[in-house]
């Protein structure tokens, strides 16, 4: 063999050995970092004697696109008066958790937020959704909100307007909230690029009837799910959020841990163990797909305790201030809380806590559910109007349940593969949910049995008393007749 070729072969072998050594060393470092984080996280878990009892502060860990906003408006804002809601509770918070009377925290922040809270006095609740549906919904909402900016002639104008609105509004814009502060600007830039390309051609070219694959108008779903932004923010987002490892985390080592898990999938078991343990310790875990049962349980488990807690005779909280506490109304909270700040009807969705409606002191779980049903109906109508208005700007794109059925199975399989941790966590949440459901049914049956037994006993006692009364009445009549007969004689 030529000496030069031998030298090249030797160098390639040496390079391979060096790379292998570095890779092994890198994995070892990652394994150590992730395992250390997992151990410390489990050691620091909130120790609660009774996780079923609501504590002083309720922290609603809102996983995006799970229906949490309806719970915020249609349950929590009706349960808690404004003065008990933690300030700016829908963006990356910078508040003093020691604020007197702060009893409700609702945010897209991840579990690392608990490091800012009094853990021993905090109850955590959350809702999870089928990961494939959540990715679809995240993709659709990113494009929907970004499309609202297309009323502007160019990207520069749209960006400047967004900055001006952000500086003027007192509330919190969608563009301030994780993960939308990353996803919407990305989609906004992409939509303008595609629109400019279409305009440069002088015509619209529609090569597909699949709304998730119309590259002339919006980023195709398959391109979206493989983009570095989606890989960092969207996929396995629920697991990273419950574990406290998003790119919005308060934990110093979060980026390194998340990067290691994304690089070496086998390390995902550690973050999954932590996330599962945290679900175990939560006061309530709901499922988006089990909407009615989840809402009913929330009303019974959380709602009744909030009402009881805030109206306890010995409470130290001043919750009857007429300026803060209001009765239920049928108004649409989505219109007042998510009002538009631009000419197109919905770029800025304000989610500040102003204008809430607190419950009446004698509200029951059933009445709370009735109010919830009215509220969610109004909320959905408003959301549907905004979606239709936004998607008109990128017609013929139209995201519907029917359109999702056209997405190729290989794309769905890819989404499942990219969200393997979320799929496992979701199945674990389903197990928790159905165990709690079974337990509630057993409790209901026991209550019914007790009630039935008590009712049966009461019927026996009633019949016995009635029978004794008639016997007494009969003996009395017989005795009177005897006396009357003696007098006549």
């Amino acid at each position: 063999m030529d000496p030069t070729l031998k030298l090249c072969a030797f160098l390639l072998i040496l390079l391979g050995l060096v790379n292998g050594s570095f890779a092994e060393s890198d994995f070892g470092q990652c394994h150590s970092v992730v395992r250390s984080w997992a151990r410390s996280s489990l050691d620091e878990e909130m120790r609660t004697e009774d996780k079923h009892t609501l504590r002083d502060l309720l922290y609603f860990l809102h996983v995006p696109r799970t229906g949490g906003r309806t719970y915020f408006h249609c349950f929590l804002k009706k349960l808690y008066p404004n003065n008990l809601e933690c300030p700016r509770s829908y963006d990356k918070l910078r508040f003093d958790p020691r604020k007197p009377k702060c009893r409700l925290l609702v945010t897209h922040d991840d579990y690392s937020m608990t490091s800012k809270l009094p853990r021993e006095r905090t109850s955590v609740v959350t809702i999870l959704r089928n990961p494939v549906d959540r990715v679809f919904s995240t993709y659709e909402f990113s494009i929907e909100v970004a499309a609202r900016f297309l009323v502007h002639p160019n990207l520069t104008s749209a960006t400047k307007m967004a900055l001006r609105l952000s500086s003027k509004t007192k509330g919190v814009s969608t563009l301030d909230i994780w993960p939308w502060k990353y996803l919407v600007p990305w989609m906004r830039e992409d939509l303008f690029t595609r629109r400019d390309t279409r305009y440069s051609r002088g015509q619209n070219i529609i090569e597909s009837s699949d709304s998730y694959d119309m590259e002339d108008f919006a980023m195709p779903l398959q391109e979206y799910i493989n983009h570095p932004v989606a890989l960092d923010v969207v996929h396995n987002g629920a697991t990273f959020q419950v574990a406290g490892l998003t790119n919005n985390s308060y934990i110093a080592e979060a980026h390194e841990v998340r990067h290691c898990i994304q690089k070496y999938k086998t390390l995902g078991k550690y973050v999954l163990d932590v996330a599962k343990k945290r679900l175990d310790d939560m006061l309530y875990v709901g499922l988006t797909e089990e909407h009615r049962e989840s809402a009913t349980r929330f009303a019974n488990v959380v709602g009744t305790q909030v009402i009881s807690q805030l109206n306890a005779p010995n409470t130290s909280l001043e919750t009857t201030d007429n300026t803060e506490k209001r009765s239920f109304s049928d108004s649409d909270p989505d219109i007042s809380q998510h009002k538009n700040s631009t000419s197109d009807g919905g770029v800025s969705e304000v989610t500040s806590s102003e204008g809430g409606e607190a419950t009446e002191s004698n509200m029951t779980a059933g009445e709370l559910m009735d109010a919830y049903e009215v509220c969610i109906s109004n909320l959905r109508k408003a959301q549907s109007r905004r979606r239709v208005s936004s998607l008109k700007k990128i017609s013929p794109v139209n995201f519907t349940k029917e359109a999702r059925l056209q997405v190729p199975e290989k794309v769905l399989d890819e989404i499942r593969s990219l969200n393997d941790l979320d799929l496992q966590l979701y199945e674990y949440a389903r197990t928790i949910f159905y165990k709690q459901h079974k337990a509630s049914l057993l409790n209901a049956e026991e209550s019914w049995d007790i009630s039935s037994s008590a009712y049966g006993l009461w019927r026996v006692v009633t019949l016995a008393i009635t029978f004794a009364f008639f016997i007494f009445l009969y003996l009395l009549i017989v005795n009177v007749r005897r006396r009357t007969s003696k007098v006549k004689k």
Side-chain angles (χ1 to χ4, degrees), residues 122-134:
T122 301
S123 290
V124 185
V125 299
T126 195
I127 304 172
L128 295 186
R129 183 179 187 178
N130 180 293
V132 175
D133 291 334
R134 199 179 76 83

Side-chain angles (χ1 to χ4, degrees), residues 81-106:
N82 292 342
N83 62 325
L84 297 187
E85 188 179 340
C86 298
R88 294 180 64 80
S89 62
Y90 242 98
D91 63 349
K92 185 170 176 62
L93 300 185
R94 290 293 179 267
F95 74 102
D96 183 357
R98 295 169 299 178
K99 174 196 169 187
K101 305 180 183 179
C102 178
R103 303 290 292 273
L104 171 65
L105 174 62
V106 184

Side-chain angles (χ1 to χ4, degrees), residues 44-55:
E44 293 173 1
E45 276 302 287
M46 289 184 284
R47 305 292 186 227
T48 57
E49 295 180 2
D50 184 6
K51 66 180 181 181
H52 302 295
T53 301
L54 174 66
R55 298 185 174 272

